[in-house]
Amino acid sequence: MPFLKCQFFKPNKVLQIRKVSTSVLPELPECKHIPSAYTGPDYEILAKAHGTTISPSLKPFYKKPLLIHEGRGQWLWDHEGNRFLDMFGGIATVSVGHSHPKVVAAATEQMQKLGHTTTIYMHPRYLEYAEKLTAKLPGDLKVAYLVNSGSEATELALLMARLYTGNNEIISLKNSYHGGTLTASTTTGLSTFRHPIYRPGGHIHVMNPDVYLGPWGGSRCRDSPIPPGGRKCDCEPNECSACEKYFSEFLDTFKFSLPRDGNIAAFIAESIQGIGGAVQYPKSYLSKVASHVKRKGGLFIADEVQTGFGRTGEHFWGFEAHGIQPDIVTMAKGIGNGFPLGAVVTTMKIANSLNKAAHFNTFGGNPVACATASAVLDVIEEEKLKENSLEVGTYLLHRLSTLMVEFPNVIGDVRGKGLMIGVELVNDPETKKPLESQHMTDIFEDIKEMGVLLGKGGLYANVLRLKPPMCVTKKDADFTVETIEAALRRHQDRIVSAEPVYVGVP
């Protein structure tokens, strides 16, 4: 069953064949980069290490996990030379493309000069980057504290909010993800990431305003080129009834779950939920919530770990589409194009709250991290990657929406904005019951075998997540859609072939 694999030449290796299906399959877009030959440990040695030397909790994707060897732009190669279109970007982390030459050069140059010094000394890279980063943010958001990850950023933001307000309660949405450390995972509203241990108090999860799966929502409720699957809108012009109903549920939290005065430390939310499955809210929901929280003495924390740095296309930050002025912004992932880095940006008044005790971060603001992140900002501007996210992302969303017509019994919803996209697969379009995990796994495997790497999200891992490097093209979008289409056809064929045949008795 021949299928042409990555068409490039390698030392001692010419055109290779990937075995999949005899049906006509999409052809990988051209790639001129020639990867080096893999010379690392045998695949079997590395596979065995997972669960022994490497923690068994770190579970790779796929039945036969990929051994990734090299990356360039939107492309990845495994140890055998198979080429894959990376439409997941290391979980929305590779923002400007794998091994971008300008980013690599900046990191290399800085490493050769000074690899590390912590904040007990000054170095120019921290200031250079902090000024460049805060120039991208509105209002008084001009003080940057650099950390190593999104989880650390969440921890620090919550600490600041509690210190500044003198209140303890943190409100977040169900289905949200804010990190894997203890406090961050307590704020996270997904049971998938909550271990059965004692957790610190002061964390409340409220109803997720999901206009597709939730009780309210319609075709005009969310800020996406594609309306919620199968839902009509009963909203009046300039008024979203779904928003009002979800906001009413939010207010109930202040009536029943908070101290009588209703004061809280903070409300934290992603602009579009990432690991939750690219879930979007009614357009004015976050702005109404933020206003109420501030009236109650709390802060609004915008989690831009996945939506920041131009990924949503229209704006540099996801919160800008909601018309919000946050008090604190957390960021990570795309900030360093894969280099371990996170940041918390806030006002001077809030930042000063940390002076109530000693606080520092050994690796936060590392010179190499700052040089890398500074180069990332330059590339986003020079290559107009925010604009590319909007153009290619909108094109991709519209193309994916055509599959809803072709596969109405499998695709329940296509949503997102820019290159922050989710495709929800269902077992029943009426009940919106998630597609069974075995079917989901088979589709996911088929997409990989045809050369595209995606993510999975949502509580039941039934949402295909597309968050590629922002350098992807419309040809890449076409190939992705054609690949998903081919995988769904295979899924339908499997369903048909598994159905029993009944022979009538005359």
Side-chain angles (χ1 to χ4, degrees), residues 43-121:
Y43 180 93
E44 290 73 19
I45 293 174
L46 287 174
K48 186 177 180 181
H50 276 273
T52 55
T53 308
I54 298 173
S55 172
S57 66
L58 299 174
K59 294 178 173 59
F61 277 176
Y62 305 114
K63 294 175 183 177
K64 182 181 180 183
L66 288 172
L67 198 176
I68 296 299
H69 160 54
E70 193 163 324
R72 188 77 58 186
Q74 62 270 52
W75 301 104
L76 289 171
W77 286 264
D78 72 4
H79 67 297
E80 295 178 327
N82 298 304
R83 176 163 59 106
F84 298 90
L85 176 60
D86 182 8
M87 292 298 289
F88 198 32
I91 316 181
T93 300
V94 180
S95 50
V96 302
H98 293 281
S99 302
H100 191 288
K102 183 162 186 170
V103 177
V104 171
T108 303
E109 180 184 358
Q110 182 58 50
M111 180 63 83
Q112 291 173 337
K113 186 183 298 182
L114 177 66
H116 175 72
T117 178
T118 192
T119 50
I120 59 172
Y121 309 117

Side-chain angles (χ1 to χ4, degrees), residues 248-275:
S248 178
E249 286 289 321
F250 178 80
L251 293 179
D252 273 358
T253 302
F254 285 79
K255 292 179 184 177
F256 302 110
S257 303
L258 288 167
R260 187 171 293 275
D261 60 10
N263 288 347
I264 68 168
F267 172 77
I268 182 171
E270 305 160 272
S271 302
I272 300 174
Q273 288 179 338
I275 288 178

Side-chain angles (χ1 to χ4, degrees), residues 1-8 13-21 80-82 449:
M1 296 183 289
F3 167 57
L4 290 181
K5 179 176 95 159
C6 173
Q7 299 187 29
F8 63 84
K13 241 179 191 181
V14 290
L15 196 63
Q16 300 177 39
I17 302 298
R18 177 186 290 148
K19 295 182 179 180
V20 282
S21 170
E80 295 178 327
N82 298 304
E449 286 301 312

